Amino acid sequence: MSNSTVTILGAGLAGSEAALQLADRGARVRLVEMRPVSSTPVHVSSDCAELVCSNSLKSTKPQSAAGMLKRELALLGSQVYAAAERNAVPAGGALAVDRAAFSADVTARIAAHPLIELVREEATGLAAYAQGADALVVATGPLTSDALAEDLARFTGGEHLAFYDAAAPIVMADSLDFDKLFRQSRYEDAETGAGDYLNAPFSREEYETFIEELVNAERVIKRDFETRDLFQACQPIEEIARKGADAPRFGTLKPVGLTDPRTGRRPWAALQLRAEDAQGMSYNLVGFQTNLTFPEQRRVFRMIPGLENAEFARYGVMHRNTFVDAPRLLDAQLRLRLDALPDSTVPVFVAGQLAGTEGYCEAIRSGLHVALSTTAFLKGQSLPELPRDTAFGALMAYATDPATVDYQPMHVNFGIMAPLDRHIRSKRDRYAAYAERGEQALLTYRDGLAACGLLSSAEADVEAGRGETCFDAR
């Protein structure tokens, strides 16, 4: 490893994690990031691991798929996840971060690592960056540049898709009407006033007027989205409303678990706002990804109770999202099934949302997975099999199974996990059983990694007599 060089394209969540993990294992890393030389419609800085959609990394509840994934990140020593925890802001049962402090933290650690060279330039082709490297990792994310996407399409035979993703607006806290908003997390005692979310309650009349204006507002993209073009997990709020006037009220604007302290009753609908920074200076409109023009966002979203005079720190935007057809192109190590680049013997790994995963923690975990896969390759070893009983193992089994058809980006969830050995009627108990089973599988997997010397703490684990036998794959 000490004589190996790995080139990583893209310094997002996955690329940053892969770079730090590989460098800590002794590889020389050349991390290529096109910002600020070439920017994107949604990035606002040149920092690594910048979050552009939401500042939430989802639930921390241990007995949830998202919580299981966070346990994997913690136990396997994810550095980007550790940075998220260091820069957390209150968000109820979720992990949310001060996005500026978080990305600055990751950037500083990359810049300080003696084995990482951070190169600021746009990568327009794969072959040029494979030269002089022992492995190539492509982690350019959903906003892969046109030139690189075209080159990747040529290399893979055109097996890639482009679709649209959406980011929610952010409003300034001092422009909100706190006489109309109330602070409360779902199912929290309304009298405590200690919730991590602000809530904007709608009356029925206010809601119906808002929805009518929302669906008729001017959009940037002036056609209805076809199902295959629209990223289902990040749909614009107006597209949800277009499916039916009550659709947002049973989704993003659901009032379940909330009690308006002014009335003592559940509101007809409610928008939740989550703090964007540790000081609570700005708030994200939760679930309000949108394709409306900026003037229309200002007009329509100011119809929300409490937001009549809202100042927008960032308007919502739509942007292209690119990903490869993972079931046909990637193996369980996230390595392209094709042997190598033309006229090259360098293996190509794909990480992050470009690999067809959805979600921040999923991107971080894929960067860690690729780092382990690349390390095993460079050492001439076989990577221990990733158990399907783990959250990420279930996702990889689904995403890289050639039998999976019409693949769309997926996040970890219990729906793709192997069934339990016994039927458990209670959902709470069933999820707890999934988590317990996943924990045991994760510990066994970690022991296997340690036995192969693939973890930074492997020596201590092996000396403790844990782990399995590793073998040479050459």
Side-chain angles (χ1 to χ4, degrees):
M1 283 289 290
S2 59
N3 295 319
S4 300
T5 299
V6 180
T7 298
I8 300 175
L9 305 183
L13 294 168
S16 296
E17 179 71 26
L20 289 166
Q21 294 291 342
L22 283 163
D24 273 359
R25 287 161 175 77
R28 293 189 300 274
V29 176
R30 188 167 184 249
L31 180 59
V32 182
E33 169 56 50
M34 70 177 186
R35 293 175 294 119
V37 175
S38 179
S39 192
T40 74
V42 295
H43 285 89
V44 297
S45 79
S46 59
D47 281 348
C48 303
E50 181 183 338
L51 306 183
V52 298
C53 187
S54 165
N55 70 328
S56 174
L57 278 69
K58 295 187 178 180
S59 175
T60 57
K61 185 178 179 181
Q63 296 172 358
S64 68
M68 287 177 63
L69 183 58
K70 288 177 177 60
R71 171 63 174 161
E72 292 183 34
L73 290 168
L75 192 62
L76 297 177
S78 166
Q79 297 205 36
V80 173
Y81 176 68
E85 289 194 309
R86 286 193 296 272
N87 295 281
V89 297
L95 172 61
V97 302
D98 181 321
R99 68 176 72 211
F102 165 70
S103 57
D105 187 333
V106 175
T107 304
R109 290 175 185 275
I110 286 173
H113 204 295
L115 292 180
I116 299 178
E117 177 192 6
L118 182 56
V119 180
R120 300 286 188 172
E121 63 186 30
E122 180 180 349
T124 58
L126 300 178
Y129 289 92
Q131 295 179 6
D134 298 293
L136 177 64
V137 176
V138 186
T140 45
L143 298 177
T144 298
S145 68
D146 290 342
L148 188 60
E150 290 174 6
D151 188 66
L152 181 61
R154 286 192 296 270
F155 172 47
T156 60
E159 295 289 343
H160 83 302
L161 293 174
F163 60 101
Y164 287 93
D165 197 356
I170 297 172
V171 294
M172 299 303 297
D174 59 7
S175 69
L176 303 177
D177 185 348
F178 285 88
D179 289 335
K180 295 183 178 180
L181 304 176
F182 63 93
R183 185 176 293 279
Q184 188 184 128
S185 296
R186 294 191 192 280
Y187 301 105
E188 180 183 63
D189 187 345
E191 296 181 358
T192 66
D196 293 326
Y197 291 87
L198 292 178
N199 299 274
F202 288 86
S203 67
R204 181 170 185 170
E205 181 180 359
E206 289 170 334
Y207 176 80
E208 290 176 348
T209 301
F210 171 74
I211 293 298
E212 182 179 0
E213 293 298 318
L214 179 65
V215 297
N216 292 314
E218 184 179 0
R219 291 169 288 162
V220 175
I221 299 171
K222 304 181 184 298
R223 67 172 176 83
D224 289 336
F225 287 99
E226 297 171 355
T227 301
R228 66 171 298 177
D229 293 325
L230 186 60
F231 195 15
Q232 296 298 315
C234 211
Q235 289 191 77
I237 183 62
E238 64 273 12
E239 295 300 324
I240 297 174
R242 192 166 278 108
K243 294 179 179 179
D246 277 333
R249 202 165 66 86
F250 288 93
T252 299
L253 295 176
K254 65 183 178 184
V256 176
L258 298 174
T259 302
D260 187 342
R262 296 178 304 172
T263 65
R265 299 191 302 272
R266 175 192 294 182
W268 182 255
L271 166 69
Q272 289 202 305
L273 297 95
R274 181 181 58 239
E276 265 293 309
D277 54 83
Q279 293 74 35
M281 299 295 291
S282 60
Y283 281 82
N284 185 291
L285 277 61
V286 177
F288 258 53
Q289 296 83 9
T290 183
N291 177 43
L292 299 187
T293 64
F294 290 177
E296 287 290 77
Q297 289 184 48
R298 186 166 56 248
R299 179 182 71 85
V300 176
F301 294 158
R302 282 180 173 176
M303 296 176 67
I304 299 171
L307 274 68
E308 291 86 353
N309 298 305
E311 295 180 11
F312 290 79
R314 184 192 71 190
Y315 287 104
V317 294
M318 290 287 294
H319 54 85
R320 194 189 70 184
N321 196 334
T322 304
F323 67 99
V324 300
D325 187 1
R328 267 139 291 283
L329 290 178
L330 302 178
D331 65 15
Q333 284 71 50
L334 290 179
R335 178 177 173 177
L336 281 171
R337 296 181 189 274
L338 305 176
D339 290 337
L341 291 168
D343 303 320
S344 172
T345 59
V346 174
V348 180
F349 297 87
V350 184
Q353 291 191 46
L354 186 63
T357 63
E358 173 205 328
Y360 290 153
C361 285
E362 286 83 350
I364 297 169
R365 180 67 180 87
S366 74
L368 176 54
H369 186 62
V370 160
L372 293 170
S373 299
T374 305
T375 301
F377 168 80
L378 295 173
K379 286 188 168 187
Q381 297 175 344
S382 287
L383 184 69
E385 184 178 354
L386 182 60
R388 185 165 186 169
D389 289 342
T390 62
F392 192 70
L395 179 59
M396 284 296 94
Y398 175 80
T400 61
D401 183 357
T404 300
V405 296
D406 297 328
Y407 182 71
Q408 287 288 314
M410 177 74 71
H411 57 74
V412 296
N413 64 88
F414 289 124
I416 57 175
M417 292 186 183
L420 297 165
D421 294 335
R422 66 191 189 283
H423 175 69
I424 301 177
R425 188 169 184 177
S426 164
K427 183 167 71 172
R428 176 179 296 180
D429 292 343
R430 187 165 63 251
Y431 289 175
Y434 276 124
E436 182 180 357
R437 185 184 67 176
E439 175 77 3
Q440 295 305 312
L442 176 61
L443 290 172
T444 300
Y445 175 65
R446 186 180 183 279
D447 286 345
L449 294 173
C452 295
L454 297 176
L455 288 182
S456 356
S457 58
E459 294 80 3
D461 285 335
V462 171
E463 286 175 2
R466 308 194 316 162
E468 357 177 289
T469 302
C470 190
F471 63 91
D472 196 308
R474 289 192 181 97

